[in-house]
């Protein structure tokens, strides 16, 4: 029987095992096949950088459903970038590109410190890095590519040595190159540092803390520059030129490696739907109706921003109406777009024909500049900088070191900076361009412009300044280069506030108009100094340069065409250097050096040394004395080290009041420590119905000795015992009441039993 049962059980197990194998054979083989495919698809390309590091690109392992995906890494820092573009065109007339760079705390082995303990909205550093990547990619998309495109940068790991922002630009370039999205890349990007006159490629976090230059270069093949972003410690132009050349050369190796990866594993580029061309008859009609009128407007130097825009819009409206009469079925948007293209062509051609700009200036000429400082008495520092129709109002506020801007965890890890004691907030309200719009938190553009102006001024600030500096720049009028006007106005406001900056700083924006030949090579160009808003819109480059008469403090190049050669960049730098030197001379007429005589409302900061044995008395129980000083005078007291305290007062009067309180605290006699159960001499200072008020030592606040504790007999008034003011009696101390904190004293307990020795304080 047992053998039969064993045989049946064995048979069932064999059948079940066979059935399971029959079900799983396809799934297992599929998994193995899938795993093998993953290993085969995953490919790597390594780039040996001149600093000895290795930049690695890989693809085929993650995010296979995206149009393109690439992982780039240097050291233990790795970034994955994915890109997706819709297959249907949007209704936008511009490239709808969105770049999202997000820092993940988990990548650095951290947990976010906010209430929800997870990543929330984008930080300022994330927004600035997203803009860097966007500006490196956008110029290389095909003309009139109007498909929604998104590039997402996901930090996989951060080692705290190699910054992920440069890696992200290269990974985004590789992802677009590998995808089927039409794109005329790739680009390569490096960070260039300068330590002890030695040029470093992709310096580490520690090396960057010693570097006089922080320059990010994005370039494509043939050494064409696509994007520049940088800050410097007032370095000379030759040093900047040399660093730029080295950076562009280094980018070429990265570009070739991405091309190799694309050739082996990239997808074939998709065919995009061709945009229907407007009939030549309609184009010719638009040209006949508007060309001469547009030329007349662009050559009329009396026009300002508003009148010129209104005149062009009037022609646009008139042309659309007349074309609609001849061709009723045509879309007004098509006519408007063709009119805009013609306006741009005429505007650019006039600069080559006349060598004069639409406002009558020569190519290298500055607009009229005026400056004014010390506008309102309550402000620590203030200035208005006017350049043409661009007007900026700047204010400086000085506060305690405790008001420094604290950075987020990942930014601290990658930059090595925990807080900033100088920050610039840039505001661009809609009325600055005669418009209505949103008023609220700063957008990406405002954050980017504020960061650029901040970098332009940081190099001239003193290293060990006892205050936190907040500089606000509000654009009241805008017709080009408001961020560089913020540098000029900010420098004036800092000097008005008495901040000992090393020298004045100024900024200027340079423009570019190019002509291409049949081989799509630049055969002619014009560099424009002090860019107008319309020249920025119609032109090919917005090159912002900030610095002193001596050197460069910040640079940013927004290039709208597929790269420009080094020659043009060098010419723009030289032309911009000459322009900012002239601007500084004009600024010096308003204020030439930091204010030496302080304003009455200027904050005051001092250091106070307190001996260790008096520290507890100075601070008080749970900081009670420091809180008292803050409440009564507004002076903040913070401990620097064991014996040094910093005092920050909103003005000199408050500082004097705080010093008086501090002197009283430190010079007052120390309150003696009373022993529980001890007997003391008590001096009667007042006789009341409830008892007598006594003191045990001179500086003591009188304490009540109740009638019930005066004598063993029941008495209703102290006069029954013939007590007098000034009389000394013996009392026993029983500590303090836990609720009220009042002393608990008794004379009654001393009238029976042995009497202990009496302790006496000087109480005369």
């Amino acid at each position: 029987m047992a053998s039969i049962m064993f045989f049946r059980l064995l048979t069932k197990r064999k059948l079940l095992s066979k059935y399971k194998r029959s079900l799983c054979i396809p799934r297992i083989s599929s998994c193995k096949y899938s795993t093998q495919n993953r290993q085969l698809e995953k490919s790597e390309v390594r780039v040996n950088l001149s600093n000895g590091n290795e930049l690695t690109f890989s693809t085929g392992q993650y995010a296979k459903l995206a149009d393109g995906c690439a992982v780039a890494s240097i050291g233990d820092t790795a970034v994955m970038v994915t890109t997706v573009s819709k297959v249907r065109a949007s209704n936008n007339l511009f490239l709808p590109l969105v770049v999202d760079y997000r820092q993940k705390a988990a990548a650095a082995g951290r947990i976010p410190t906010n209430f929800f303990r997870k990543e929330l909205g984008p930080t300022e550093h994330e927004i600035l890095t997203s803009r860097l990547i966007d500006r490196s990619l956008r110029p290389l998309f095909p003309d009139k590519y109007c498909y929604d495109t998104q590039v997402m940068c996901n930090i996989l790991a951060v080692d705290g040595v190699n910054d992920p922002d440069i890696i992200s630009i290269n990974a985004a370039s590789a992802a677009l190159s590998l995808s089927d999205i039409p794109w005329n890349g790739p680009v390569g990007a490096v960070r260039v540092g300068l330590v002890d006159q030695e040029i470093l490629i992709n310096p580490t976090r520690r090396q960057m803390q010693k570097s006089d230059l922080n320059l990010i270069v994005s370039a494509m093949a043939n050494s064409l520059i696509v994007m520049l972003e940088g800050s410097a410690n007032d370095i000379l132009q030759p040093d900047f030129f040399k660093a730029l050349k080295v950076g562009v050369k280094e980018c070429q190796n990265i570009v070739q490696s991405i091309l190799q990866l694309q050739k082996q594993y990239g997808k074939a580029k998709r065919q995009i739907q061709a945009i229907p061309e407007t009939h030549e008859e309609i184009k010719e009609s638009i040209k006949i109706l508007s060309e001469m009128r547009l030329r007349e407007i662009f050559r009329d130097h009396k026009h300002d921003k508003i009148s010129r825009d209104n005149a062009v819009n009037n022609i646009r409206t008139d042309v659309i109406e007349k074309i609609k009469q001849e061709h009723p079925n045509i879309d007004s948007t098509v006519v408007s777009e063709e009119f805009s293209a013609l306006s741009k062509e005429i505007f650019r051609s006039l600069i080559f024909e006349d060598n004069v700009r639409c406002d009558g200036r020569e190519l290298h000429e500055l607009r009229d500049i005026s400056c004014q400082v010390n506008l309102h008495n309550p402000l620590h520092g203030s200035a208005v900088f006017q350049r043409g129709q661009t007007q900026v109002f700047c204010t400086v506020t000085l506060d305690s070191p405790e008001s420094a801007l604290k950075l987020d965890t990942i930014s601290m890890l990658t930059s090595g900076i925990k807080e900033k004691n100088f920050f610039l907030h840039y505001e661009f309200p809609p009325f600055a361009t005669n418009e209505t719009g949103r008023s609220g938190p700063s957008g990406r553009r405002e954050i980017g412009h504020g960061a650029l102006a901040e970098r332009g001024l940081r190099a001239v600030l003193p290293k060990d300044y006892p205050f936190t500096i907040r500089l606000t720049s509000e654009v009241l009028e805008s017709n080009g280069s408001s961020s560089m006007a913020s540098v000029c106005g900010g420098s004036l406001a800092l000097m008005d506030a008495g901040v000992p900056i090393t020298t004045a700083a100024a900024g200027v924006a340079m423009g570019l108009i190019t002509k291409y030949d049949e081989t799509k090579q630049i055969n002619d160009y014009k560099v424009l100094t002090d860019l107008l808003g319309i020249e920025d819109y119609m032109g090919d480059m917005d090159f912002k340069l900030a610095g002193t008469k001596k050197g460069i403090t910040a640079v940013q190049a927004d290039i709208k065409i597929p790269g420009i050669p080094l020659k043009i960049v060098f010419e723009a730098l030289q032309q911009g250097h000459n322009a900012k030197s002239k601007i500084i001379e004009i600024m010096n007429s308003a204020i030439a050096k930091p204010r030496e005589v302080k304003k009455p409302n200027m904050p005051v900061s001092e250091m106070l040394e307190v001996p260790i044995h008096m520290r507890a008395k100075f601070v008080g129980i749970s900081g009670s004395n420091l809180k008292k000083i803050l409440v009564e005078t507004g002076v903040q007291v913070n401990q620097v080290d064991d014996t040094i305290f910093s005092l920050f007062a909103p003005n000199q009067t408050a500082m004097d009041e705080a010093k008086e309180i501090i002197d009283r605290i430190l010079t007052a006699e120390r309150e003696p420590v009373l022993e529980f159960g001890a007997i003391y001499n008590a001096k009667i200072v007042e006789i009341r119905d409830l008892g007598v008020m006594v003191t045990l030592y001179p500086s003591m606040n009188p304490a009540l000795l109740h009638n019930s504790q005066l004598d063993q007999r029941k008495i209703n008034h102290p006069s029954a015992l013939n007590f007098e003011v000034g009389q000394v009696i013996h009392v026993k101390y029983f500590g303090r009441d836990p609720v009220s904190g009042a002393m608990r004293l008794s004379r009654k307990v001393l009238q029976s039993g042995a009497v202990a020795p009496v302790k006496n304080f000087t109480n005369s």
Side-chain angles (χ1 to χ4, degrees):
M1 185 68 179
S3 61
I4 294 173
M5 294 295 293
F6 176 78
F7 178 79
R8 288 179 178 176
L9 180 63
L10 183 63
T11 304
K12 286 182 179 180
R13 287 183 176 179
K14 287 181 178 179
L15 290 173
L16 182 61
S17 177
K18 184 177 180 181
Y19 176 69
K20 287 183 176 180
R21 286 199 302 271
S22 68
L23 290 177
C24 293
I25 282 174
R27 188 170 299 174
I28 292 174
S29 65
S30 175
C31 291
K32 289 180 179 178
Y33 179 77
S34 178
T35 303
Q36 291 173 356
N37 275 353
R38 284 196 185 102
Q39 293 174 352
L40 290 173
E41 287 175 5
K42 181 183 177 182
S43 56
E44 291 186 352
V45 171
R46 302 179 184 273
V47 185
N48 293 319
L49 303 176
S50 61
N51 62 351
N53 288 341
E54 196 173 61
L55 172 61
T56 303
F57 293 101
S58 65
T59 186
Q61 187 176 10
Y62 303 125
K64 296 183 180 61
L65 297 182
D67 289 335
C69 176
V71 177
S73 61
I74 297 179
D76 289 330
T77 298
V79 180
M80 180 187 74
V81 176
T82 57
T83 180
V84 175
S85 184
K86 290 185 177 181
V87 294
R88 291 186 178 181
S90 66
N91 295 325
N92 296 315
L93 299 178
F94 57 89
L95 171 63
L97 172 66
V98 176
V99 177
D100 286 320
Y101 171 90
R102 297 305 302 272
Q103 298 174 150
K104 302 295 179 67
R110 299 286 194 275
I111 296 177
T113 56
N114 58 62
F115 178 80
F116 296 100
R117 296 298 188 267
K118 66 177 183 179
E119 288 78 8
L120 300 177
T123 63
E124 179 177 320
H125 180 71
E126 290 172 331
I127 291 173
L128 294 176
T129 306
S130 297
R131 285 171 57 87
L132 276 179
I133 301 169
D134 185 296
R135 288 163 40 218
S136 300
L137 306 178
R138 188 177 291 271
L140 302 183
F141 279 90
D143 290 337
K144 298 182 180 180
Y145 185 80
C146 52
Y147 296 78
D148 289 323
T149 305
Q150 186 175 33
V151 176
M152 300 191 69
C153 305
N154 187 358
I155 299 180
L156 302 179
V158 177
D159 59 10
V161 178
N162 301 288
D163 202 322
D165 56 356
I166 297 298
I167 303 174
S168 298
I169 299 175
N170 290 309
S173 173
L176 280 169
S177 298
L178 292 166
S179 73
D180 62 344
I181 301 172
W183 189 62
N184 300 321
V187 298
V190 294
R191 172 177 271 111
V192 185
L194 185 65
V195 179
D196 297 329
Q197 297 301 311
E198 179 184 356
I199 295 176
L200 302 178
I201 297 297
N202 291 342
T204 63
R205 175 174 57 84
R206 289 190 176 183
Q207 289 173 332
M208 280 306 304
Q209 293 175 354
K210 303 176 183 177
S211 177
D212 291 326
L213 176 66
N214 180 8
L215 176 64
I216 298 174
V217 182
S218 293
M220 56 187 299
N222 301 322
S223 298
L224 296 178
I225 297 173
V226 179
M227 192 277 299
L228 291 177
E229 181 88 18
S231 60
N233 291 332
D234 202 17
I235 68 170
L236 301 176
Q237 277 191 199
D239 295 332
F240 186 86
F241 290 162
K242 183 179 178 183
L244 181 56
K245 285 182 180 179
V246 173
V248 171
K249 182 179 179 181
E250 194 75 25
C251 289
Q252 302 308 298
N253 297 330
I254 299 174
V255 169
Q256 294 304 317
S257 299
I258 297 176
L259 285 173
Q260 178 184 347
L261 189 69
Q262 178 187 11
K263 184 178 180 181
Q264 295 178 358
Y265 304 101
K267 300 177 183 178
K269 296 300 180 181
R270 69 179 68 162
Q271 296 295 322
I272 60 175
Q273 183 179 358
I275 300 176
E277 289 289 335
T278 308
H279 291 298
E280 290 298 327
E281 179 186 351
I282 296 176
K283 287 184 178 181
E284 189 64 26
S285 298
I286 295 173
K287 186 174 182 180
I288 293 172
L289 290 171
S290 58
E291 181 177 14
M292 297 307 297
R293 297 162 70 185
L294 286 173
R295 284 177 170 270
E296 183 180 348
I297 290 173
F298 293 145
R299 279 178 168 155
D300 187 353
H301 305 153
K302 296 178 182 179
H303 278 302
D304 60 11
K305 174 184 171 65
I306 301 298
S307 64
R308 184 183 299 110
D309 290 347
N310 289 338
V312 172
N313 288 331
N314 290 337
I315 297 177
R316 182 193 304 270
T317 303
D318 181 61
V319 169
I320 292 175
E321 291 177 355
K322 290 179 178 178
I323 295 295
K324 289 283 286 183
Q325 291 175 1
E326 297 178 6
H327 306 275
N329 296 328
I330 194 168
D331 189 359
S332 300
T333 306
V334 175
V335 180
S336 179
E337 191 174 348
E338 289 296 335
F339 178 83
S340 297
L342 179 64
S343 300
K344 184 175 181 179
E345 180 184 346
I346 294 172
F347 183 89
R348 294 164 64 94
S349 63
L350 286 176
I351 293 177
F352 285 99
E353 292 173 15
D354 302 339
N355 272 330
V356 176
R357 298 149 75 173
C358 64
D359 59 352
R361 288 182 294 151
E362 296 182 4
L363 303 185
H364 61 275
E365 189 177 348
L366 293 167
R367 289 175 283 176
D368 293 335
I369 296 174
S370 62
C371 313
Q372 189 178 357
V373 298
N374 195 20
L375 301 169
H376 301 283
N377 291 332
L379 302 178
H380 297 161
S382 59
V384 165
F385 180 83
Q386 180 97 37
R387 179 161 49 193
Q389 285 185 290
T390 297
Q391 185 185 65
V392 173
F393 176 68
C394 294
T395 62
V396 169
T397 304
L398 306 179
D399 210 328
S400 68
E402 298 300 314
S403 301
L405 181 64
K406 309 298 187 295
L407 300 183
D408 60 277
T409 305
I410 305 300
S411 297
M412 286 192 290
L413 184 66
T414 54
S415 66
I417 301 174
K418 294 183 179 180
E419 59 185 24
K420 295 197 303 183
N421 65 344
F422 169 68
F423 42 92
L424 188 149
H425 291 153
Y426 171 94
E427 301 174 10
F428 194 97
F431 64 77
T433 53
N434 192 30
E435 297 174 353
T436 60
R438 181 184 65 88
S439 176
S442 299
R444 289 195 170 200
R445 177 186 176 277
E446 291 174 299
I447 292 174
H449 280 49
L452 174 62
E454 180 181 313
R455 292 196 303 270
L457 291 169
R458 182 174 293 279
V460 300
L461 291 171
K463 300 300 180 184
D464 299 318
Y465 195 57
F467 301 113
T468 295
I469 307 171
R470 180 182 184 237
L471 197 157
T472 61
S473 173
E474 185 173 1
V475 182
L476 305 182
E477 301 173 16
S478 178
N479 189 16
S481 187
S482 57
S483 61
M484 293 297 95
S486 299
V487 175
C488 302
S491 176
L492 294 169
L494 286 169
M495 289 192 284
D496 182 53
V499 178
I501 61 176
T502 55
T503 183
V508 65
M510 312 298 296
L512 177 68
I513 306 293
T514 58
K515 273 187 178 181
Y516 282 83
D517 57 19
E518 296 177 354
T519 61
K520 296 185 178 180
Q521 299 294 324
I522 298 175
N523 62 358
D524 196 6
Y525 64 90
K526 300 291 183 181
V527 177
L528 311 178
T529 298
D530 190 10
L531 205 59
L532 282 175
I534 190 173
E535 292 170 338
D536 182 11
Y537 177 74
M538 301 285 195
D540 299 324
M541 179 181 73
D542 182 7
F543 188 97
K544 301 181 179 72
L545 177 67
T548 66
K549 278 191 173 183
K550 169 188 169 186
I552 298 170
T553 58
V555 64
Q556 183 184 88
D558 290 333
I559 299 168
K560 305 172 188 178
I561 55 179
I564 58 175
L566 280 167
K567 176 186 176 182
I568 296 179
V569 176
F570 290 164
E571 185 175 335
L573 280 168
Q574 183 59 50
Q575 206 164 310
H577 177 74
N578 297 335
K580 64 182 172 65
S581 298
K582 295 178 182 177
I583 296 170
I584 291 174
E585 291 178 1
I586 299 172
M587 291 166 54
N588 288 340
S589 62
I591 182 169
K593 61 181 181 178
R595 186 183 299 277
E596 297 179 354
V597 179
K598 291 185 177 180
K599 299 180 181 180
N601 63 332
M602 291 294 288
V604 182
S605 178
E606 293 184 11
M607 293 295 177
L608 175 68
E609 184 174 1
V610 179
I612 293 181
H613 69 279
M614 301 188 71
R615 185 176 58 190
K617 180 181 180 181
F618 172 63
V619 174
I621 300 172
S622 299
S624 59
N625 288 339
L626 305 187
K627 294 175 184 176
K628 177 182 177 182
I629 294 172
L630 178 61
V631 170
E632 294 186 3
T633 66
V635 175
Q636 299 179 26
V637 183
N638 297 292
Q639 188 169 357
V640 178
D641 56 29
D642 290 342
T643 60
I644 303 298
F645 290 80
S646 65
L647 307 179
F648 174 83
N651 50 59
Q652 188 61 49
T653 303
M655 178 66 79
D656 295 339
E657 293 177 2
K659 285 183 177 180
E660 291 179 4
I661 297 176
I662 292 172
D663 290 340
R664 288 200 300 268
I665 294 173
L666 295 179
T667 58
E669 184 178 348
R670 186 180 181 86
E671 180 178 333
V673 178
L674 301 179
E675 182 182 347
F676 187 91
I679 300 172
Y680 295 95
N681 285 330
K683 181 180 180 181
I684 300 175
V685 296
E686 184 182 355
I687 297 177
R688 297 182 178 180
D689 292 340
L690 294 176
V692 294
M693 303 297 292
V694 298
T695 59
L696 307 186
Y697 49 88
S699 60
M700 171 183 165
N701 292 326
L704 175 66
L705 180 57
H706 197 267
N707 288 337
S708 62
Q709 299 298 324
L710 285 176
D711 198 89
Q712 289 185 346
R713 295 168 295 176
K714 181 179 180 181
I715 60 173
N716 294 324
H717 196 275
S719 60
L721 299 176
N722 298 322
F723 285 150
E724 296 178 356
V725 174
Q727 183 179 346
V728 177
I729 60 177
H730 293 168
V731 295
K732 194 169 187 177
Y733 175 70
F734 290 100
R736 293 182 178 271
D737 186 275
V739 178
S740 65
M743 280 189 182
R744 296 188 295 188
L745 303 172
S746 177
R747 176 177 176 270
K748 178 175 66 174
V749 297
L750 300 178
Q751 293 179 342
S752 62
V755 179
V758 178
K759 295 186 177 182
N760 185 34
F761 296 107
T762 303
N763 199 356
S764 55

